[in-house]
Amino acid sequence: MRRVVSLWLPSFPTDRLRRHSSAPPVEAPLVTRLHDGRRMVIGAVDAAAGALGLHVGMALAHAQAMVPDLQIADADPAGDAAALGRLAAWCLRLSPMTAPDTDGVWIDATGCAHLHGGEAAMLDSLLGRLAADGMTARAAIADTPGAAHALARHGAGLVTVVAPGGVTRALDPLPVASLRLAADAVATLRRLGLEQVADLAALPRGPLARRFGAAVLQRLDQAMGRVAEPITPVVPPDMPQARMAFAEPLLTAESFVAVIGALVGQVCTLLERTGLGARHLDLLFERVDGTVTAIRAGTARPSRDARHLGRLLEEQVETIDPGLGVDALRLAVPFAEPLAYVQVANLAAETEADVAMLVDRLSNRLGAGRVWRAAAVESDVPERSVRHVSAVAPPGGAAWPAWPRPARLIHPPQPVQMLSGLPDRPPTAFTWRRHRHHVRRADGPERIAGEWWRRDAEIGAVRDYWQVEVEGGRRFWLYRRGDGNGTESGDLQWFMHGVF
């Protein structure tokens, strides 16, 4: 089932202005101005100005009379449209099909949400990224673009997730203005007592069409999913891509596979010219009814191996519904990284096993969320210094600790019975899981303090770690909780935290 996200940016023009160093303070109401014939009107308002009763289209002189300290800037519609286009291109990391809206972004998230932790997690992450960049945003996901658009602007919360098949129930209590109708049509409907979408949907279609024309019924049918509403995806000009159109529509998976090989070859040639390797591949199927569906494949590291990339796409072709036929295929690379040729030092030397292709195929078949790798996290506390990420996710910015760490970390740490001297003498023997171990060698202590900014209880917490080797050659990672100088640092209990 199709799933579409509508991202609404109610104050995008003013948010853009506030990103500059010369912008007024956040608490100061800010609007933009533009000409409407011979008079000057408001083009956009921020949250502070909206709370004071100002709105788009209001005469600027009236607004200044209401708010004497109003901050005013010249509107830049062309710049705003270009910025929305760039934002839509940035959203390609979420889905292969995104497009700018008049005051937001469309995202066709069909089959993509699970790659980002689910629909709610994907939208929460998106709004969090935008909020960190100073942008006010709301988002909704539903089966149709019209429903998502309505709920993003008239829903109850910042994020609205409509369950598949729940469009009618979600739209019924919304105002008729949520259907993207003309202002005069909305005013007429309200005069007739039709306030909600449910009131409009209950009317006979014939009299409604005669009174208001086809536009009202079309918007209602688009929101309910009775009429298709295609989204024309954005195509960044610098994105490596190849497109092939057909004289007759294609309908079978075999015909798609035959075309994929040619498209991948063209894209790999483009990548080689620029010294790049693909990390994400989007194959878009342009159907004869004007709609577009897509499949996405990712790689664990940059690649321009045409055979390997083609196989990743071919394995997903069976999931595509061609509808009445596909009249064009487009292959794009929204995410690429530098990939240079490597000089081989000795042709006779054995090369290390390359598991990247195996990881790609497993992620492609099982889902990116089911194949993971360990990634470093900026934390000195061992159990917080590592997390699981998708195997095809971009490399993170955190670095692994310089000190040796065990291959197996036990979580939570398990208590042990220890025989040792205080305060800084290494352990001599310990009992773990009913087995007595005598220490032959020990290296330490490595002191790790608590992270007081996370929890107040860790303000004075201390751990002293030891690497120990016992009789028989096994190596363990132990720590003592506390330094012996005060009860606030710990109770001097010993724990097993890892096995080398």
Side-chain angles (χ1 to χ4, degrees), residues 175-460:
V176 291
S178 65
L179 295 178
R180 297 174 289 169
L181 302 177
D184 56 346
V186 172
T188 304
L189 289 171
R190 287 177 174 172
R191 284 198 302 269
L192 296 175
L194 304 174
E195 296 285 345
Q196 297 180 336
V197 175
D199 302 331
L200 185 62
L203 292 177
R205 296 175 63 88
L208 189 63
R210 287 193 298 270
R211 179 67 182 271
F212 296 97
V216 172
L217 284 178
Q218 181 184 24
R219 286 304 192 189
L220 179 63
D221 290 341
Q222 287 176 341
M224 296 296 184
R226 304 187 191 106
V227 174
E229 185 176 0
I231 294 176
T232 303
V234 65
V235 182
D238 57 344
M239 180 187 296
Q241 59 180 312
R243 184 177 183 274
M244 188 174 294
F246 318 115
E248 295 291 336
L250 303 184
L251 290 167
T252 63
E254 292 77 9
S255 59
F256 296 148
V257 170
V259 177
I260 287 174
L263 290 176
V264 171
Q266 296 177 32
V267 167
C268 288
T269 301
L270 296 175
L271 292 172
E272 185 174 6
R273 291 175 183 171
T274 54
L276 298 174
R279 288 297 308 275
H280 286 166
L281 290 168
D282 291 337
L283 183 61
L284 287 82
F285 297 75
E286 302 176 8
R287 298 189 289 203
V288 296
D289 59 359
T291 60
V292 180
T293 185
I295 56 177
R296 165 167 285 188
T299 60
R301 69 178 188 182
S303 173
R304 51 175 181 258
D305 185 328
R307 181 179 179 184
H308 173 58
L309 298 179
R311 184 180 300 172
L312 295 180
L313 296 171
E314 291 167 5
E315 290 177 345
Q316 301 186 59
V317 166
E318 294 289 349
T319 65
I320 291 297
D321 177 14
L324 299 177
V326 175
D327 54 13
L329 279 179
R330 181 164 61 87
L331 179 62
V333 184
F335 181 30
E337 290 181 348
L339 177 61
Y341 290 104
V342 178
Q343 179 67 42
V344 179
N346 185 356
L347 294 177
E350 294 185 1
T351 58
E352 297 183 358
D354 185 4
V355 299
M357 292 187 178
L358 175 61
V359 170
D360 295 345
R361 297 198 67 185
L362 290 176
S363 300
N364 196 53
R365 290 183 177 182
L366 305 178
R370 298 183 179 180
V371 183
W372 55 268
R373 61 177 173 83
V377 178
E378 291 287 354
S379 176
D380 290 329
V381 179
E383 61 266 29
R384 299 174 184 161
S385 64
V386 64
R387 64 188 177 97
H388 293 171
V389 299
S390 171
V392 298
W400 291 105
W403 298 98
R405 291 291 183 260
R408 177 190 175 194
L409 199 65
I410 299 174
H411 183 70
Q414 298 178 359
V416 298
Q417 297 178 2
M418 184 64 64
L419 177 63
S420 66
L422 292 175
D424 292 328
R425 298 291 297 175
T428 57
F430 64 92
T431 301
W432 178 49
R433 293 179 177 175
R434 300 182 181 180
H435 290 281
R436 188 70 169 174
H437 299 276
H438 296 275
V439 177
R440 297 180 56 187
R441 298 180 181 86
D443 183 20
E446 175 191 349
R447 178 159 293 179
I448 296 179
E451 296 178 337
W452 52 266
W453 57 92
R454 290 177 178 264
R455 296 175 54 205
D456 292 340
E458 297 184 24
I459 292 178

Side-chain angles (χ1 to χ4, degrees), residues 88-251:
W90 178 84
C91 289
L92 285 170
R93 66 191 61 201
L94 302 177
S95 166
M97 286 187 289
T98 66
D101 195 4
T102 54
D103 55 357
V105 175
W106 296 109
I107 303 174
D108 192 326
T110 307
C112 299
H114 70 282
L115 302 175
H116 309 281
E119 294 177 346
M122 178 181 69
L123 296 185
D124 287 337
S125 175
L126 175 60
L127 295 193
R129 294 287 296 273
L130 293 174
D133 206 27
M135 295 186 186
T136 303
R138 293 165 58 97
I141 183 169
D143 297 342
T144 66
H149 186 279
L151 290 160
R153 289 149 181 82
H154 299 272
L158 294 178
V159 173
T160 303
V161 178
V162 180
V167 166
T168 301
R169 181 179 299 178
L171 288 176
D172 279 348
L174 298 185
V176 291
S178 65
L179 295 178
R180 297 174 289 169
L181 302 177
D184 56 346
V186 172
T188 304
L189 289 171
R190 287 177 174 172
R191 284 198 302 269
L192 296 175
L194 304 174
E195 296 285 345
Q196 297 180 336
V197 175
D199 302 331
L200 185 62
L203 292 177
R205 296 175 63 88
L208 189 63
R210 287 193 298 270
R211 179 67 182 271
F212 296 97
V216 172
L217 284 178
Q218 181 184 24
R219 286 304 192 189
L220 179 63
D221 290 341
Q222 287 176 341
M224 296 296 184
R226 304 187 191 106
V227 174
E229 185 176 0
I231 294 176
T232 303
V234 65
V235 182
D238 57 344
M239 180 187 296
Q241 59 180 312
R243 184 177 183 274
M244 188 174 294
F246 318 115
E248 295 291 336
L250 303 184
L251 290 167

